[in-house]
Amino acid sequence: MSKKVEDIKKVAVVGAGTMGSGIAQVVASNDREVLLVDVSDAALDRGMQIIEKSLGRLLKKEAISQEENDLVHNRITTTTKFEDLGDVDLVIEAVFEDMGVKKEIYNKLNNVTREDVVLATNTSSLPIIEIAVSTSKADKVVGMHFFNPAPVMKLVEIIKTLATSDETAQFAYDFALALGKEPVMTKDSPGFIVNRILIPMLNEAVFAYQDGVGTPEDIDKAMKLGTNQPIGPLALVDLIGLDVTLDVMDTFYREFQDSKFRAAPLLRQMVRAGWLGRKTGKGFFDYS
């Protein structure tokens, strides 16, 4: 029997970082219980602080009431134990982009979750089929790629692998709709839709700067004014993280074996220098 969106009462979100905490907030804001899972109490505390700050901003803008704020907060519980996931109806995994770590998590999920539970990964570029076949229920594994910040961004990419059943893919699409999101269906190909187009464009902006085509300020100004983008490409690389951008480019190059996905040498040099963008205070722009 195929899973129905209305049957989903309790959702586990694995990973309490920026994406995981944002997804947990979205799910809890849409009348579902959330079990937020991470490896340590410290990580869970940080995740809850992110949620509290996000809800606080909405409260200040009067986008939600104090009662709604309290309800969302009360719907989220935390745990470091995978054994606590025995009664969840859906799992959304949002840990960092490392295939080894993800496989280890799916091996645990495989052992503790019910047979009918859909396992959704929030990966932005890793091959989902490789994650899926590390479980005994590859037909129940699907991509649900939320965008940062998850409470604000409307888009969710639903990614169907070779093994994902039509029912699982449709369920994920319908669940995204139930969360008030705008889903698109795509297949398990590197970068899916958005990053397949976006990341090479950002990489080309790095090449343009490397080749002396313009300063970072002028490259970003040109793209903002010339193509109506809300943020320039180099500022966006700084926001995403130069290391993350490089990882995605390297994944594309490895998967497609096509030289057009070669990362700009300057991008690699800056990552080696530890200039990773906003999170380190320095990237193409200075945030110190």
Side-chain angles (χ1 to χ4, degrees), residues 13-249:
V13 177
V14 181
T18 303
M19 287 309 300
S21 57
I23 293 165
Q25 180 186 326
V26 170
V27 175
S29 298
N30 284 275
D31 209 21
R32 268 94 178 171
E33 297 296 317
V34 175
L35 186 61
L36 187 59
V37 188
D38 214 311
V39 292
S40 69
D41 289 329
L44 290 166
D45 288 344
R46 284 193 298 272
M48 290 306 296
Q49 283 167 16
I50 292 169
I51 293 167
E52 281 160 19
K53 274 186 192 168
S54 177
L55 290 171
R57 284 192 293 271
L58 293 172
L59 202 54
K60 199 173 176 183
K61 290 181 191 167
E62 298 184 350
I64 59 170
S65 66
Q66 184 64 53
E67 187 187 7
E68 287 169 316
N69 174 81
D70 296 344
L71 276 172
V72 172
H73 200 274
N74 292 337
R75 286 190 194 116
I76 303 171
T77 53
T78 61
T79 186
T80 57
K81 299 189 182 92
F82 274 82
E83 307 88 79
D84 293 342
L85 275 66
D87 63 341
V88 302
D89 305 305
L90 166 68
V91 178
I92 302 174
E93 166 272 311
V95 304
F96 57 93
E97 298 285 82
D98 181 298
M99 183 59 81
V101 172
K102 286 190 189 279
K103 282 183 176 178
E104 195 179 317
I105 283 168
Y106 278 82
N107 187 42
K108 288 178 184 172
L109 292 173
N110 196 50
N111 295 331
V112 298
T113 56
R114 296 198 314 263
E115 198 51 44
D116 66 330
V117 168
V118 168
L119 305 176
T121 177
N122 182 59
T123 182
S124 60
S125 64
L126 293 176
I128 298 171
I129 190 65
E130 194 174 330
I131 296 168
V133 296
S134 68
T135 76
S136 63
K137 40 190 173 193
D139 62 313
K140 299 281 198 309
V141 178
V142 65
M144 284 188 81
H145 180 212
F146 291 77
F147 287 75
N148 190 25
V152 176
M153 297 291 275
K154 283 287 189 185
L155 180 65
V156 179
E157 289 179 317
I158 306 300
I159 304 110
K160 189 176 187 292
T161 76
L162 290 174
T164 309
S165 70
D166 291 341
E167 292 79 12
T168 297
Q170 189 59 53
F171 161 78
Y173 188 95
D174 293 342
F175 188 69
L177 284 175
L179 295 178
K181 299 302 184 185
E182 297 278 354
V184 294
M185 198 75 84
T186 182
K187 70 174 186 176
D188 188 18
S189 177
F192 319 126
I193 294 172
V194 174
N195 283 333
R196 168 81 175 262
I197 296 166
L198 174 67
I199 298 293
M201 185 199 81
L202 301 184
N203 186 54
E204 196 58 37
V206 182
F207 266 120
Y209 173 47
Q210 177 185 295
D211 295 346
V213 172
T215 63
E217 290 79 6
D218 281 346
I219 289 168
D220 276 18
K221 182 179 179 180
M223 291 304 289
K224 281 163 71 179
L225 298 179
T227 63
N228 207 25
Q229 294 181 23
I231 182 172
L234 296 176
L236 185 52
V237 174
D238 280 352
L239 182 63
I240 293 167
L242 277 74
D243 52 340
V244 175
T245 306
L246 178 61
D247 281 348
V248 177
M249 282 305 296

